[in-house]
Amino acid sequence: MSAGAVADLFQRSFGAAPAVIASAPGRVNLIGEHIDYNGGEVLPIAITSRTFVALGPSGGSRSRAVSREETTAGEFVNADGMPAGAWWDYVHGALRQAGCDAPVAIAVASDVPVGAGLSSSAALEVATVLAAWSWRDVPWTPDSVAMAAHRAERDFVGVPCGIMDQYASACARADHALRVWCDDARTAFVPFDRDVLIVDTGDPRHLRSSAFADRRQSCEAALRVLQEASPGVRALAHADPQLVAAALHGESLRRARHVVSEQARVHRVVEALARGEPLGALLLDSHRSLRDDYECSSPRLDWVVEWAMTRPEVDGARLTGAGWGGCAIAVGDRGALRDVATALATAFEARWGPAPRTWITGAGDGARREG
Ligand code: GLA
């Protein structure tokens, strides 16, 4: 995908050249899953697939949005109205959170896969905020773009997600992972020069949103119990594992145990990357914790992870993103994963039916103005 493609679409749809173009990537999370809304640290990378947004004045009283990947076009008033349950809700919410009251024309062209858990919605929100602010010469930083895009997802679209996806899309840097402290939104870059194989299991997503909200509630309830026992605990990710083991039971214990153990693994992965040490055992432990304690894996995700770990080129595999379907990742040296992807797709097809979509990505750049 390119700025030229979205400029062409804008010209064809609205009969003029766009005033600005911005782009933003999807993401995969290397480690730190279900940690962002528990106040801990996460370690995503931007993928190299991007969403391009071209923007200009609409010439009418309503904003209009078209997409190269969608058949329906949207019309709305930026400062008014509810989500329509349509793809342009992300655009509408982002324009509103960007404080853009003027009616605009928007064209979208993207190669970030939709519905695979690679944060296509965050990429669209981030690119839209950046386009709107660039158009109006509003001063911005990657962090301020991420925050506005996150408010669009949480407050307008109504998804109770943490800040990871919008931060990864807005703030990432090529050849680095982005360490985000989700309690105070600090960030740091961690050099990451390896490849990541992404495998879309194609599992249906319908359970994902209700199960996600359910897990958030379980974590909030577990935190309240811990705070009764020890008032100083400020976020579940920072709780003492011994306190978790002593104060919680059953399902609540399992959910919280995932969170505190995953947080410790993030620190160990950051250290391993700095020392050039293998990641395999840490990523696999993360997957097992998500499978057994957080219960957000699926049979296909488990199968992909187990299959990938049999290959010597793979240094760690795990589900990425929310889970309950979506994508698994496998990490390897640059250029080493092509044969793995081919063999995995063949084996997956033999076991589960249609071959999965796969991508190999390095760590890409975050959002930028294109023109
Ligand atoms: C989804 C949410 C993120 C994060 C992950 C799980 O991608 O949008 O905020 O909670 O799940 O780590």
Side-chain angles (χ1 to χ4, degrees), residues 218-344:
S218 301
C219 288
E220 283 159 17
L223 178 60
R224 283 194 293 275
V225 172
L226 295 176
Q227 286 172 330
E228 272 166 33
S230 176
V233 182
R234 63 185 205 283
L236 189 55
H238 298 298
D240 178 351
Q242 287 181 346
L243 175 66
V244 167
L248 299 173
H249 307 280
E251 188 180 284
S252 180
L253 169 61
R254 294 202 307 278
R255 304 295 186 245
R257 191 167 57 197
H258 164 71
V259 172
V260 293
S261 65
E262 182 78 349
Q263 181 60 97
R265 283 186 290 272
V266 173
H267 296 158
R268 292 178 63 194
V269 165
V270 169
E271 285 164 16
L273 285 171
R275 295 188 191 134
E277 290 171 1
L279 309 177
L282 292 165
L283 300 197
L284 188 58
D285 280 353
S286 167
H287 182 78
R288 289 180 174 145
S289 175
L290 289 158
R291 180 190 67 194
D292 300 337
D293 276 352
Y294 220 69
E295 296 183 274
C296 64
S297 189
S298 72
R300 290 174 192 218
L301 285 166
D302 294 342
W303 184 92
V304 169
V305 168
E306 277 161 33
W307 191 96
M309 290 303 292
T310 64
R311 295 285 299 219
E313 303 94 325
V314 170
D315 178 27
R318 55 183 290 279
L319 73 80
T320 191
W324 298 285
C327 289
I329 54 168
V331 175
D333 287 340
R334 197 150 276 177
L337 295 174
R338 198 156 302 151
D339 291 349
V340 178
T342 309
L344 193 152

Side-chain angles (χ1 to χ4, degrees), residues 27 29 32-37 119 161-165 212 321-322:
R27 66 96 189 90
N29 191 14
E33 220 62 85
H34 293 283
I35 290 292
D36 57 354
Y37 56 86
S119 293
C161 63
I163 64 172
M164 173 172 71
D165 304 344
F212 187 89

Side-chain angles (χ1 to χ4, degrees), residues 76-96:
F76 50 85
V77 176
N78 299 0
D80 199 14
M82 304 281 288
W87 68 267
W88 59 84
D89 288 345
Y90 303 107
V91 174
H92 187 176
L95 290 170
R96 185 177 295 187

Side-chain angles (χ1 to χ4, degrees), residues 65-75 85-88:
V66 298
S67 165
R68 206 185 67 116
E69 286 71 41
E70 304 282 345
T71 50
T72 46
E75 274 202 19
W87 68 267
W88 59 84

Side-chain angles (χ1 to χ4, degrees), residues 19-188:
V20 291
I21 298 174
S23 75
R27 66 96 189 90
V28 291
N29 191 14
L30 293 179
I31 193 148
E33 220 62 85
H34 293 283
I35 290 292
D36 57 354
Y37 56 86
N38 284 306
E41 292 159 52
V42 296
L43 197 67
I45 60 168
I47 60 176
T48 47
S49 305
R50 302 179 76 83
T51 296
F52 289 77
V53 168
L55 180 149
S58 92
S61 60
R62 294 161 73 79
S63 288
R64 292 168 61 206
V66 298
S67 165
R68 206 185 67 116
E69 286 71 41
E70 304 282 345
T71 50
T72 46
E75 274 202 19
F76 50 85
V77 176
N78 299 0
D80 199 14
M82 304 281 288
W87 68 267
W88 59 84
D89 288 345
Y90 303 107
V91 174
H92 187 176
L95 290 170
R96 185 177 295 187
Q97 293 299 341
C100 174
D101 290 339
V104 289
I106 294 256
V108 178
S110 176
D111 55 14
V112 182
V114 173
L118 298 175
S119 293
S120 59
S121 61
L124 180 52
E125 291 152 353
V126 165
T128 304
V129 169
L130 184 50
W133 283 349
S134 301
W135 181 47
R136 282 295 159 102
D137 291 325
V138 175
W140 59 271
T141 63
D143 295 65
S144 64
V145 172
M147 288 310 263
H150 177 250
R151 287 196 304 273
E153 180 94 36
R154 187 194 59 194
D155 300 344
F156 185 75
V157 183
V159 178
C161 63
I163 64 172
M164 173 172 71
D165 304 344
Q166 289 78 17
Y167 262 79
S169 182
C171 306
R173 178 186 286 176
D175 299 325
H176 291 78
L178 182 73
R179 186 175 185 181
V180 186
W181 285 259
C182 298
D183 50 355
D184 60 6
R186 269 178 307 134
T187 58

